[in-house]
Amino acid sequence: SRWSTASWTELIQGCNCDRMRVLLALMLAPLAAALQPTLPTSTRAARPSTALQMVYGKTRASSRKFVPAVSQSELSPGKAVSGICAGLDICVAVDTDGSVYALGNKSPVLGTPMAAGRVAGGEIKDPLTGTSFSVKSGQVVGPWCPNFPFNFLFSVIEPQGLPVFKCKTGGGAVQVEVDVNAKTNFESGYWKGILDAQGKTDGGYY
């Protein structure tokens, strides 16, 4: 045969080299495209990133008002109930002496409902982590997350309190003072970002 063993070996090696070059080119193509500078296609200023547009989207001024949260018929000393005020999740806690307080309903770290906790002695206790909070200030009272296994899992996390809100009773309901525009302002940024991603914004905030 005209083809010796050496010739066949050289041919195979040549094919393998070509294949390696192709694979290497395919692997480096995305990297080259990413590193290639992007040239402007128009004289219009580049749009800010979606994240920035969400931050600088149109918002409304803060407006604090008393909003009905829960019915007074739901209240019971030593317990708490949850209610939604202008889109905010609120925990209405009733101390054993009948005093009524309003706090954020999401426990720190886990976000579980504080309304499931017991109220006594000016404190409300998160039943899951065991952390107690002052119903007046929202600050942590006593050990932070003493229940197992959270005493190990959250030991490196700085203790966090709960937000507190002014509240009053009357007309058969508990009213809580909240920023009625807080939810609207939060969602305005979110939806502006979504619409921008779809190319549907009106350009009013560029």
Side-chain angles (χ1 to χ4, degrees):
S1 175
R2 293 184 304 169
W3 290 90
S4 63
T5 303
S7 299
W8 282 109
T9 302
E10 292 176 359
L11 178 62
I12 293 174
Q13 290 177 346
C15 292
N16 288 338
C17 290
D18 291 339
R19 183 177 300 174
M20 289 299 295
R21 291 193 188 96
V22 172
L23 291 176
L24 186 60
L26 292 175
M27 293 173 62
L28 294 179
L31 180 60
L35 296 177
Q36 184 178 1
T38 302
L39 299 177
T41 55
S42 70
T43 57
R44 182 177 179 180
R47 294 183 178 183
S49 67
T50 299
L52 291 177
Q53 291 166 20
M54 290 169 66
V55 173
Y56 293 107
K58 295 177 181 178
T59 58
R60 299 179 182 179
S62 174
S63 177
R64 305 192 69 84
K65 296 180 180 179
F66 280 94
V67 179
V70 297
S71 171
Q72 284 185 259
S73 61
E74 299 180 57
L75 305 183
S76 179
K79 296 183 179 180
V81 293
S82 63
I84 302 297
C85 295
L88 301 177
D89 195 1
I90 302 295
C91 169
V92 177
V94 186
D95 209 341
T96 49
D97 63 357
S99 302
V100 181
Y101 303 90
L103 310 94
N105 193 38
K106 294 183 179 180
S107 67
V109 186
L110 294 177
T112 51
M114 289 300 303
R118 298 290 299 178
V119 187
E123 301 174 8
I124 183 170
K125 185 175 183 179
D126 177 9
L128 193 59
T129 64
T131 306
S132 294
F133 304 87
S134 168
V135 293
K136 295 181 179 180
S137 66
Q139 296 301 309
V140 175
V141 179
W144 168 250
C145 299
N147 291 355
F148 181 84
F150 307 108
N151 54 343
F152 293 102
L153 296 176
F154 300 155
S155 60
V156 297
I157 299 178
E158 192 73 19
Q160 305 170 27
L162 297 170
V164 294
F165 303 88
K166 294 180 180 179
C167 67
K168 62 182 182 180
T169 57
V174 177
Q175 299 183 56
V176 179
E177 186 186 41
V178 297
D179 181 1
V180 295
N181 289 333
K183 182 173 183 288
T184 301
N185 288 339
F186 175 82
E187 291 183 344
S188 68
Y190 173 79
W191 288 114
K192 281 288 185 181
I194 293 296
L195 293 176
D196 175 68
Q198 298 177 359
K200 298 179 181 178
T201 50
D202 56 9
Y205 61 101
Y206 291 131

